[in-house]
Amino acid sequence: MIANSEEKRMKSKDGQNSSTQLQEAIGLRSPRLFLEREYVTISVQAQQDKDCPKIWESLKQAFIYKNPCNITTEDYQPLMELASHPIPCNKSLFWSKTNDLVHRYTKSNHNFLTLEDTLLGYMADRVSWCGDPSAPGINYESCPKRTECESNPISVFWKMASKMFAEAACGVVQVMLNGSIEAGAFRSSSIFGSIEISNLNPDKVSAVQIWLMHDIGGPQSESCSGYSIRRLKDTLEERNLKFTCEENHRPVQLLQCVNNPDHADCRLCSSKTETP
């Protein structure tokens, strides 16, 4: 199945937490942690220029001792500036409801980068944090969910990081969507639909290629001519962005077939492209 991620909690062996453990969980205790990710194809120079202790400090200052339901974009601006780096053209890969599959793909194919493969995304992937107005300034027990308050530290962080990732995209960009969802592959309320599309620069992005993936043996709820994909096409073309759509992009489908080699979909491994 095309699965979503789960949040990771940071607790020590004796049940206590510390700022140091949070720092380690976020991946900034050592600059080597990010540099050693083999599939990240950002230039070595861009990575080596980053000051990880300063990045950690700017992240901490964004939320520590603050009301976890009152975080602003200004709180995270220093972090965004410190941790940003160029994204090579033709390598940006956006996604919605394909979390597990898209990251399995970028781990096996070094030609593409999701937000989670950048420094900002790597820091925060599957990690949550929030502040507390009282000492020690960090809440290690629970953090508010998006449904509880919109301006929580995690939501604000990912919205800003997603906006920055979209703004940096250039050339041909790819989008992996889930065609096995009954409600529709494209949702205007998703991060991709509500933030990333509107921040793609038509002067820098030459085309948007949709990879509409179906679960092996699962329902094919939507095709490239489906209702939500047509809405996506209209949205992109309104912004002067060229649109193409391909069902079951062959390299990705082959990856799905690793776990289902004998399924009929894998024996055929057919791919259909539509360019309206």
Side-chain angles (χ1 to χ4, degrees):
M1 294 290 290
I2 301 173
N4 294 320
S5 66
E6 297 180 355
E7 290 186 354
K8 180 171 69 176
R9 291 179 178 269
M10 296 77 66
K11 285 184 178 286
S12 64
K13 293 181 181 178
D14 61 0
Q16 299 301 312
N17 295 276
S18 71
S19 176
T20 301
Q21 287 170 317
L22 176 59
Q23 181 179 357
E24 185 173 15
I26 290 174
L28 290 173
R29 188 167 186 132
S30 167
R32 291 193 302 274
L33 292 176
F34 179 63
L35 299 175
E36 288 172 356
R37 285 165 64 100
E38 294 180 359
Y39 61 90
V40 175
T41 56
I42 302 162
S43 72
V44 173
Q45 185 61 44
Q47 298 172 36
Q48 290 177 339
D49 286 343
K50 299 306 175 187
D51 187 328
C52 286
K54 284 186 178 180
I55 291 174
W56 159 247
E57 188 62 27
S58 66
L59 171 60
K60 189 169 67 172
Q61 291 305 316
F63 71 91
I64 194 168
Y65 285 106
K66 294 180 181 178
N67 184 326
C69 284
N70 196 27
I71 302 300
T72 68
T73 56
E74 288 76 14
D75 291 325
Y76 279 116
Q77 192 58 44
L79 170 66
M80 298 293 152
E81 293 174 359
L82 281 171
S84 66
H85 51 72
I87 306 297
C89 288
N90 306 312
K91 291 187 179 292
S92 298
L93 174 54
F94 298 87
W95 59 274
S96 183
K97 295 294 184 180
T98 55
N99 194 333
D100 178 68
L101 181 60
V102 75
H103 294 114
R104 285 170 55 204
Y105 183 64
T106 57
K107 285 180 181 179
S108 64
N109 186 329
H110 300 189
N111 291 322
F112 298 101
L113 290 166
T114 66
L115 171 57
E116 292 76 16
D117 297 319
T118 66
L119 178 54
L120 278 168
Y122 163 65
M123 286 165 42
D125 192 24
R126 302 172 188 247
V127 181
S128 62
W129 63 85
C130 62
D132 189 322
S134 59
I138 299 177
N139 188 332
Y140 293 107
E141 297 303 320
S142 65
C143 291
K145 298 178 180 179
R146 180 180 175 183
T147 53
E148 296 172 327
C149 61
E150 187 72 19
S151 298
N152 67 78
I154 304 304
S155 293
V156 175
F157 174 92
W158 282 112
K159 287 179 180 179
M160 290 188 70
S162 297
K163 178 177 182 290
M164 182 178 295
F165 185 62
E167 290 172 340
C170 56
V172 178
V173 303
Q174 322 294 330
V175 184
M176 190 184 296
L177 300 179
N178 191 333
S180 291
I181 295 179
E182 186 175 348
F186 171 68
R187 298 169 301 120
S188 58
S189 60
S190 66
I191 290 290
F192 174 65
S194 64
I195 295 176
E196 291 169 337
I197 287 180
S198 60
N199 284 287
L200 293 174
N201 186 343
D203 294 329
K204 294 168 54 180
V205 175
S206 58
V208 178
Q209 296 183 342
I210 307 301
W211 296 342
L212 185 63
M213 304 305 302
H214 299 112
D215 293 331
I216 299 299
Q220 298 193 12
S221 302
E222 187 155 23
S223 68
C224 282
S225 58
Y227 174 71
S228 80
I229 298 298
R230 291 200 307 271
R231 283 196 295 112
L232 172 56
K233 176 179 180 289
D234 291 343
T235 300
L236 292 170
E237 291 182 344
E238 285 174 3
R239 302 201 65 248
N240 296 318
L241 292 164
K242 183 180 177 182
F243 165 94
T244 63
C245 180
E246 177 183 356
E247 294 176 25
N248 298 319
H249 182 58
R250 184 178 177 86
V252 181
Q253 190 180 52
L254 288 171
L255 184 62
Q256 290 176 299
C257 287
V258 170
N259 295 326
N260 304 273
D262 297 325
H263 195 278
D265 291 350
C266 295
R267 290 197 297 270
L268 295 173
C269 225
S270 59
S271 174
K272 180 172 69 174
T273 305
E274 296 184 13
T275 307

